[in-house]
Amino acid sequence: ATPQARAFAVRHLIVLMQPQYVFSYAGLTQGADTIRTKDFMYFTQGCQAMILAAREGLPVGLPLPSDYERRIRATLASLANTPATPTPVRNAARCLLPPR
């Protein structure tokens, strides 16, 4: 799959864990940067999302396995820590992991 499709797959995993957040592609994949000049330091925060007050109408299907959170976190950690993972996918995977 393309890096874009893989980033949206990560977005779906994040929604399973954090359904109150909505990520755009840019908000999910931009990563966090620090830019230093001689006078200033600029920060951009990765993983920008909108918070929803309520989310209704989600489809109902089979329940997830009892260890789904552990499985999702393990998958995201693997993507985030593998150098061969494309940068947009790695940035998206870091959105649900604790900061280092």
Side-chain angles (χ1 to χ4, degrees):
T2 66
Q4 295 84 0
R6 292 174 66 191
F8 275 109
V10 167
R11 179 182 184 215
H12 180 71
L13 292 175
I14 291 172
V15 167
L16 291 173
M17 300 276 294
Q18 302 284 330
Q20 70 274 22
Y21 292 102
V22 176
F23 290 89
S24 68
Y25 180 80
L28 190 66
T29 61
Q30 72 182 358
D33 290 319
T34 303
I35 301 166
R36 298 172 194 263
T37 66
K38 67 177 188 165
D39 299 320
F40 298 102
M41 189 181 301
Y42 300 94
F43 299 96
T44 60
Q45 184 174 345
C47 305
Q48 295 179 8
M50 294 186 329
I51 298 176
L52 297 176
R55 192 164 199 172
E56 297 180 28
L58 290 177
V60 176
L62 295 174
L64 294 171
S66 60
D67 66 340
Y68 80 95
E69 289 186 20
R70 182 195 59 77
R71 289 181 183 193
I72 289 173
R73 288 186 192 285
T75 299
L76 296 179
S78 175
L79 290 170
N81 296 320
T82 302
T85 301
T87 300
V89 179
R90 210 171 36 247
N91 288 343
R94 290 181 179 138
C95 287
L96 196 59
L97 298 176
R100 293 186 213 190

